[in-house]
Amino acid sequence: MIGEHSSKQYDNELEAIRSKVLLMGGIVETQFLDAMTCFRIGNPERADRVIREDDVVNQLEVSLDDACSHLLVRRQPAANDLRTIMATIKVIIDLERVGDEAAKIARVAKNLHQRGNGVVNHYEMVRGIANTATDMLHDALDAFARNDGKQALQLIAQDAIIDHEFRSIMRNLITFMMEDPRTISAALDTLWVAKAIERIGDHAKNIAEYVIYVVEGKDIRHTKLAAPAISEELPE
């Protein structure tokens, strides 16, 4: 009876942590979407809100880290339970970094708007990569919520698409800057945004890898499984 009670208490505590992680995930998803809206239409008030929300995300990271640490110390979990907590801690770190990247995008959007540069045209350059990263982040959180290793594995391949698109954007922006030095400032800002989006894709892939680690007990980071040869099929 004591063991059963302790196990149920542990499950409840872990589920509470996972629910709060998903709340954090929802916040950073909204941050990212709002940041991209700011980049598209140049809304300084919304950009400021995205930047302020980063403080909320940071506070959630601290409280969740504390909750996970206490759970490790009190329950001393083994095997799959330990993997779950360790993976959850890493998911929290990646979500906090997604929030950081969203705040960067919002700052760039605000600066572009204040300088009066062609925000809409620059948004079109990154729209495709932003949509892919948005889908990746959403699917990664969904896979985490449902412990769906199959979904996690499927979305990992999309990171190669984002990497390819980022290289294409970078080449185009370099061309613009060489042909017209007046575009350098705005082009560099757009490059910063594209890099932030590419990093968000990386964090989404990391979350998917942690889901696979929990479900299958396999660490696929830095393996061919984690980096499928999809890039070979993409045009250069």
Side-chain angles (χ1 to χ4, degrees):
M1 289 293 294
I2 294 176
E4 183 180 345
H5 175 74
S6 177
S7 176
K8 187 173 183 180
Q9 205 168 21
Y10 165 81
D11 290 341
N12 289 339
E13 290 178 21
L14 182 58
E15 189 56 37
I17 289 173
R18 283 173 54 81
S19 295
K20 204 169 182 181
V21 171
L22 290 171
L23 170 66
M24 184 181 182
I27 292 173
V28 300
E29 267 195 285
T30 301
Q31 262 191 297
F32 181 32
L33 291 171
D34 284 349
M36 292 310 304
T37 299
C38 295
F39 189 63
R40 177 169 59 86
I41 65 176
N43 185 323
E45 291 78 17
R46 182 175 287 188
D48 286 336
R49 187 168 71 242
V50 172
I51 294 167
R52 287 195 303 271
E53 283 175 347
D54 198 40
D55 291 334
V56 177
V57 173
N58 292 340
Q59 291 168 8
L60 277 170
E61 181 193 22
V62 172
S63 66
L64 282 166
D65 276 350
D66 185 62
C68 288
S69 298
H70 278 80
L71 190 59
L72 282 170
V73 171
R74 288 198 310 270
R75 305 300 177 191
Q76 298 182 353
N80 188 57
D81 288 338
L82 180 60
R83 289 203 308 270
T84 299
I85 297 175
M86 297 306 297
T88 300
I89 291 171
K90 292 179 179 180
V91 168
I92 293 164
I93 293 171
D94 275 288
L95 288 176
E96 188 275 332
R97 290 175 180 169
V98 170
D100 287 344
E101 300 297 340
K104 289 179 189 176
I105 295 170
R107 290 189 186 96
V108 170
K110 188 177 178 181
N111 291 336
L112 270 171
H113 175 74
Q114 290 171 344
R115 290 203 307 268
N117 289 310
V119 177
V120 173
N121 291 337
H122 289 288
Y123 170 79
E124 287 301 316
M125 292 195 69
V126 301
R127 181 164 58 91
I129 190 175
N131 289 340
T132 304
T134 298
D135 290 343
M136 280 187 70
L137 181 60
H138 180 80
D139 289 347
L141 288 167
D142 188 49
F144 174 78
R146 297 187 295 109
N147 277 330
D148 190 335
K150 184 177 180 181
Q151 182 180 13
L153 187 59
Q154 288 174 344
L155 75 89
I156 287 174
Q158 297 180 52
D159 190 55
I161 298 174
I162 288 184
D163 291 343
H164 180 269
E165 290 181 352
F166 173 73
R167 291 193 296 270
S168 177
I169 291 168
M170 185 168 58
R171 286 194 297 267
N172 289 336
L173 288 171
I174 290 172
T175 300
F176 289 153
M177 287 187 284
M178 291 175 63
E179 292 179 349
D180 186 352
R182 292 173 299 178
T183 67
I184 289 176
S185 180
L188 287 175
D189 281 340
T190 304
L191 185 59
W192 276 109
V193 169
K195 184 59 181 177
I197 295 169
E198 188 264 343
R199 290 295 298 138
I200 288 173
D202 287 341
H203 293 306
K205 184 187 76 166
N206 290 346
I207 293 170
E209 290 173 355
Y210 302 144
V211 171
I212 293 170
Y213 175 62
V214 170
V215 174
E216 301 184 11
K218 297 177 183 177
D219 187 348
I220 65 167
R221 293 174 299 171
H222 313 301
T223 66
K224 290 183 179 179
L225 184 61
I230 187 171
S231 57
E232 297 175 1
E233 302 171 8
L234 295 168
E236 289 295 334

